[in-house]
Amino acid sequence: MRHLFFTTLAVLCLAATSVSAQMTDMHWDTHGVGFKVPDNFAIETNNAEEFTASNDNLFLTIVPIQDIEVSDDDLADAVVEMAKGLEYDDIEEGEAIEIDDFTGYYIKGRKDGTNAVVMAVLDKKSSTNLLVVIVYVDGYEKQAVNIAASLYAYD
């Protein structure tokens, strides 16, 4: 019985290690932001105006927000307005977030059967403010949220 317990524990540890090893760092050097994505993500666009990358189940878009009118106080309203502008009709939840050097707000929404996390983040130490949209297929919400939560600023 004891041998079975240790064997099961070893298999679980190995599985946890292989799951975490399936994530990789990506960087958008133009704006000094990094994040973790699944290994099979491919960069599609990487310029000053936009960063996009995807795999078969997730699609990530990041664009800089150049609106100096957006502050922590009205960030929630700004994200909801952006989501409505993107025509997400079913906004499920919203919440303020603190990630690394960023403060922000996110919502989860749905449009024509497509799920998305829409998030705006403001860098506390610089003028790097970003709109992040992660579109995902059913069953991949946790991975989408993990990508959003992995954002970090670097110099």
Side-chain angles (χ1 to χ4, degrees), residues 1 13-14 27-28 38 42 49 56 63 65 73-74 78 82 88 92 113 115 145 147-148 155:
M1 182 68 146
C13 289
L14 180 61
H27 298 102
W28 190 16
E49 291 82 35
D56 291 339
V63 295
I65 302 171
D73 296 333
D74 58 4
M82 284 186 262
Y88 283 93
E92 298 173 8
N115 306 297
V145 170
I147 292 169
D155 294 316

Side-chain angles (χ1 to χ4, degrees), residues 1-6:
M1 182 68 146
R2 187 174 182 181
H3 178 62
L4 178 63
F5 172 76
F6 285 115

Side-chain angles (χ1 to χ4, degrees), residues 23-27 34-37 39 150 152:
M23 299 295 282
T24 188
D25 277 323
M26 274 194 174
H27 298 102
F35 40 91
K36 292 192 178 298
V37 295
D39 280 351
S150 73
Y152 60 91

Side-chain angles (χ1 to χ4, degrees), residues 27-34 45-51 64 66 128 130 154:
H27 298 102
W28 190 16
D29 291 332
T30 306
H31 294 284
V33 64
T45 307
N46 185 356
N47 58 45
E49 291 82 35
E50 179 181 26
F51 182 95
Q66 301 300 331
T128 303
L130 306 168
Y154 66 89

Side-chain angles (χ1 to χ4, degrees), residues 138-149:
D138 287 336
Y140 287 84
E141 178 179 342
K142 184 175 181 179
Q143 283 188 349
V145 170
N146 287 345
I147 292 169

